[in-house]
Amino acid sequence: MGLSISVPATEQELLQTVQAVVGDGIIEGSREYNKDEYIAGAKAADQTSVFPKWTGPGLVFYKVRENALDPRNFKDGGDSGMLAVRYVVQHGDDKNTILKIDAVFVDDSHLRPHASDGSVEAAEFKEIQDHLAAMHLAKERAVEDEKHHQQELAAKELEAKHKDQQLEFAVAKKPDETLEQHVHNLRRDVERAVKAPGAQLKSTPFRSASTLKTLSAGSQVVILISTPYWFGVETDDGQHGWIHHSQLEQLP
């Protein structure tokens, strides 16, 4: 009986998915006695005596479980023997690929083949569908992530362009001021030097706060936050902390 179906996936996608399912070690849609919802311990194989050699078109894969005990959903099964599933991937068109799945159990006592009632093929195909869905979702997320990344780059580029325009506008308003002078004045607005004999960089804007490090006189900091009495600053080595207004002075 088996299953033959056109799958909405490229041949490469279906091959990748079938190989993953063949290697998962599980045969779905059957069980040994009633102890599990599936049969574990299966192995991928290049060929098996359960099926005749495949001479048709496409690529063929096998998943085999030896010494299977009375697997369910096989006609007139019983006893122990070899259980095998065959998967054949055949070319369809640009968007669809043909998949064939067959499951057979051969008992050790009489070496008779027992075909699946369709449960194994349906369950294995469900696994393949789930893998394909996860693959497509991952690709969609990758496309969305790349789109978001490009949007962020465009926003940063636009922001940089806007800042350049603002700088050009500010310089244009002061024709006697060169660009270098304007940048120097901007630095004076946000940078300060530590007064002699030095200052302590505090963890919070309180004199009783713990000291992060001691800054030497003349060392420069960038003002990030300004309060009535304290500056939140960044040091040359990138450390953040707080310094009292009285301990800083304008750059020369």
Side-chain angles (χ1 to χ4, degrees):
M1 295 178 63
L3 178 149
S4 181
I5 190 169
S6 177
V7 182
T10 66
E11 190 170 346
Q12 185 59 39
E13 288 175 337
L14 187 57
L15 282 172
Q16 182 179 343
T17 302
V18 168
Q19 288 174 317
V21 171
V22 169
D24 66 9
I26 292 174
I27 296 178
E28 301 283 355
S30 185
R31 65 176 71 181
E32 293 182 296
Y33 298 111
N34 289 315
K35 64 178 182 177
D36 293 311
E37 295 298 323
Y38 52 82
I39 293 180
K43 296 181 180 179
D46 295 329
Q47 59 184 5
T48 173
S49 59
V50 172
F51 290 99
K53 183 178 180 180
W54 179 258
T55 58
L59 295 176
V60 60
F61 304 87
Y62 300 95
K63 182 158 54 174
V64 178
R65 164 64 193 278
E66 298 179 350
N67 302 316
L69 300 175
D70 187 22
R72 300 307 163 93
N73 301 326
F74 288 87
K75 297 179 179 180
D76 303 322
D79 203 354
S80 65
M82 181 179 294
L83 173 57
V85 184
R86 180 178 65 186
Y87 313 76
V88 181
V89 178
Q90 298 176 331
H91 179 71
D93 54 38
D94 293 340
K95 295 183 178 180
N96 298 277
T97 307
I98 305 302
L99 174 65
K100 298 179 182 295
I101 306 178
D102 299 278
V104 174
F105 170 67
V106 175
D107 63 75
D108 291 333
S109 299
H110 304 93
L111 300 181
R112 289 183 303 187
H114 305 273
S116 162
D117 63 5
S119 300
V120 173
E121 291 91 338
E124 285 292 297
F125 179 58
K126 176 65 167 53
E127 281 296 301
I128 290 173
Q129 284 183 307
D130 290 346
H131 276 70
L132 282 172
M135 180 188 298
H136 290 161
L137 180 60
K139 288 183 178 181
E140 289 175 2
R141 287 178 176 172
V143 170
E144 286 298 319
D145 289 344
E146 178 61 22
K147 181 180 178 181
H148 182 65
H149 177 63
Q150 293 299 327
Q151 288 175 339
E152 287 184 336
L153 291 178
K156 289 180 179 179
E157 183 178 352
L158 183 61
E159 182 181 2
K161 184 177 180 180
H162 181 62
K163 287 182 178 179
D164 290 341
Q165 290 174 339
Q166 286 182 321
L167 183 59
E168 292 174 0
F169 178 73
V171 172
K173 290 179 65 176
K174 300 178 179 179
D176 296 333
E177 184 180 63
T178 65
L179 179 61
E180 290 77 11
Q181 290 173 331
H182 184 71
V183 172
H184 176 73
N185 291 335
L186 289 177
R187 287 187 60 195
R188 284 179 57 86
D189 290 339
V190 297
E191 293 186 1
R192 295 289 188 277
V194 177
K195 291 181 179 179
Q200 293 181 334
L201 184 68
K202 295 290 186 176
S203 59
T204 57
F206 302 99
R207 293 190 184 275
S208 59
S210 59
T211 299
L212 300 176
K213 65 186 299 185
T214 299
L215 302 177
S216 59
S219 57
Q220 296 181 8
V221 296
V222 176
I223 297 174
L224 303 177
I225 303 173
S226 179
T227 71
Y229 301 102
W230 294 82
F231 286 129
V233 301
E234 180 180 341
T235 63
D236 287 339
D237 58 3
Q239 189 168 10
H240 293 179
W242 296 85
I243 299 179
H244 196 270
H245 285 195
S246 61
Q247 295 177 301
L248 297 177
E249 61 186 359
Q250 290 277 356
L251 295 180

